[in-house]
Amino acid sequence: KLSQDAVIDSLQLYSPISIGGKKALRRSAVLFFHKRPETIFPQARSIFVSGYTGDPIFHAEQINGSLVYQFKTLIEKIRRSLEKLSFISKSGTRQEIENICLSIIRELVSNAVTHRDYELTSTIKITLKSDMIEIQSPGKFPAGTSWETFLESPSPISRPVDAAIAKYSSSLLLSEGIG
């Protein structure tokens, strides 16, 4: 039977840099596996806004917790807030679908969580309006890239800020069937 330390080491959750001679967890391990990572990294939270912030009535909610929890919570809040479109199918039955495809939403939110720069102090902010969804994720394009680079590339480009976060994201979100 492996010790907790050996398991953490085998999963590469420890940083290669020790602090005061002691092993320290990688930032990515804290962000994904700590129940309250925002207590260590205050910027590790998201904000969900429903409505126009310039209007007298809108709803804003801060989402704390592990990155997997934030991802799941954001997706669920968006899903519950999306307007439904109704139509009559070819079989004559009434059908309802979301006005924005949930698989696209999951991909956008996954990218915002995975590719954000967790060294910056701002947060992920998702604003759902009646006519659009806006996703803000702290960070910038990697050096030498732009929107045009991503749009014109014949194959997908992925250059995460933190490779370990990308690894955990793809493993954990896909294993949960939510990525």
Side-chain angles (χ1 to χ4, degrees), residues 4 53 93 103 134 147 156:
Q4 178 179 339
T53 53
T93 59
S103 61
E134 181 179 38
W147 271 114

Side-chain angles (χ1 to χ4, degrees), residues 31-32 37 44 65-72 113 118 165 169 173:
L31 292 170
F32 270 95
S66 73
L67 295 188
V68 172
Y69 175 80
Q70 288 182 50
F71 178 85
K72 287 180 180 181
V113 169
Y118 286 93
I165 288 176
S169 284
L173 298 180

Side-chain angles (χ1 to χ4, degrees), residues 79-86 96-99 102:
R79 189 191 64 73
R80 280 190 273 136
S81 299
L82 285 176
E83 291 182 20
K84 305 280 190 232
L85 301 175
S86 297
E96 281 192 344
I97 58 171
E98 284 85 11
N99 63 345
L102 276 176

Side-chain angles (χ1 to χ4, degrees), residues 3-179:
S3 69
Q4 178 179 339
D5 200 47
V7 170
I8 291 171
D9 201 34
S10 71
L11 292 173
Q12 299 175 345
L13 299 177
Y14 282 127
S15 171
I17 302 167
S18 61
I19 299 173
K22 292 184 177 183
K23 292 181 179 181
L25 290 173
R26 292 179 187 264
R27 174 188 8 231
S28 52
V30 173
L31 292 170
F32 270 95
F33 302 112
H34 195 287
K35 289 183 181 185
R36 302 221 29 223
E38 71 280 357
T39 60
I40 299 166
F41 301 108
Q43 68 276 25
R45 60 191 192 292
S46 302
I47 298 172
F48 176 76
V49 178
S50 180
Y52 293 86
T53 53
D55 287 350
I57 298 175
F58 68 91
H59 176 76
E61 183 178 348
Q62 185 169 295
I63 313 293
N64 295 323
S66 73
L67 295 188
V68 172
Y69 175 80
Q70 288 182 50
F71 178 85
K72 287 180 180 181
T73 302
L74 288 166
I75 294 297
E76 183 58 24
K77 288 190 174 299
I78 293 168
R79 189 191 64 73
R80 280 190 273 136
S81 299
L82 285 176
E83 291 182 20
K84 305 280 190 232
L85 301 175
S86 297
F87 65 96
I88 304 299
S89 71
K90 290 181 181 181
S91 66
T93 59
R94 181 174 172 260
Q95 302 286 317
E96 281 192 344
I97 58 171
E98 284 85 11
N99 63 345
I100 303 174
C101 179
L102 276 176
S103 61
I104 293 171
I105 298 290
R106 280 191 292 275
E107 180 67 20
L108 293 170
V109 175
S110 173
N111 282 337
V113 169
T114 301
H115 293 282
R116 78 154 281 184
D117 186 342
Y118 286 93
E119 293 208 10
L120 300 176
T121 58
S122 53
T123 62
I124 292 172
K125 181 180 176 186
I126 297 180
T127 305
L128 185 62
K129 303 172 184 177
S130 61
D131 60 341
M132 65 185 269
I133 185 167
E134 181 179 38
I135 300 175
Q136 297 172 321
S137 182
K140 59 185 177 190
F141 282 111
T145 60
S146 65
W147 271 114
E148 291 75 25
T149 306
F150 287 96
L151 295 174
E152 294 171 3
S153 174
S155 59
I157 298 172
S158 180
R159 294 189 188 145
V161 174
D162 185 324
I165 288 176
K167 176 183 171 184
Y168 297 145
S169 284
S170 62
S171 297
L172 293 171
L173 298 180
L174 288 175
S175 71
E176 302 242 356
I178 54 179

